[in-house]
Amino acid sequence: MQTWNDIIRLANHGSPAPAKRVEKTEAEWRAQLTPEQYHVTREHGTERAFSGEHCEAHEAGLYACIGCDTPLYDSTTKFDSGTGWPSFTQPITENALRYKKDTSYGMTRIEVLCNACDAHQGHAFPDGPAPSGVRLCINSASVKLVSEKQEA
């Protein structure tokens, strides 16, 4: 389980190598993704609070990256943070996500990216529930829910 200190360390020193790498041209990304998915994942955008399809979702399964199908989060780690975005306490594996210091908009945050294709997911915060204390605040547009009976 990753703690806030683990995430800070990974943001400063790099994440473990991903199980796979997925690289596409901008034209390929635009052809695959909706305009909102492209804006969020490739341009580091954010969807409006409480507008995403997964904000209130409670189905069991895995959440996979919308860009490369890499499993990133398990629904058992999802919780209602009241923020308007799906929130998770940890990634499915230590090398599923990459963390990066983000100083945009005059503040310092930790950006969360898919480690396989660099799709922007959202941001990490130190105000999550025990035991990790981490809140991975994720855009619905960056993930898709895959049922437990399907492979991501």
Side-chain angles (χ1 to χ4, degrees), residues 59-135:
E59 296 86 25
L62 302 178
Y63 287 84
C65 177
I66 198 72
C68 68
D69 297 328
T70 298
L72 301 177
Y73 317 98
D74 188 305
S75 63
T76 61
T77 67
K78 188 174 186 279
F79 68 99
D80 183 2
S81 64
T83 61
W85 289 276
S87 296
F88 301 87
T89 58
Q90 65 187 36
I92 202 162
T93 61
E94 186 175 309
N95 68 342
L97 300 176
R98 184 167 63 87
Y99 304 97
K100 183 173 120 182
K101 186 176 179 179
D102 176 4
T103 58
S104 62
Y105 303 107
M107 59 183 125
T108 301
R109 300 177 291 175
I110 302 295
E111 182 180 14
V112 177
L113 301 123
C114 171
N115 204 16
C117 73
D118 300 326
H120 172 75
Q121 296 287 304
H123 289 87
F125 299 96
D127 59 1
S132 73
V134 173
R135 173 172 55 98

Side-chain angles (χ1 to χ4, degrees), residues 43-70:
E43 298 176 327
H44 306 266
T46 301
E47 63 199 10
R48 286 184 344 271
F50 300 101
S51 69
E53 70 176 298
H54 302 301
C55 185
E56 298 298 325
H58 301 289
E59 296 86 25
L62 302 178
Y63 287 84
C65 177
I66 198 72
C68 68
D69 297 328
T70 298

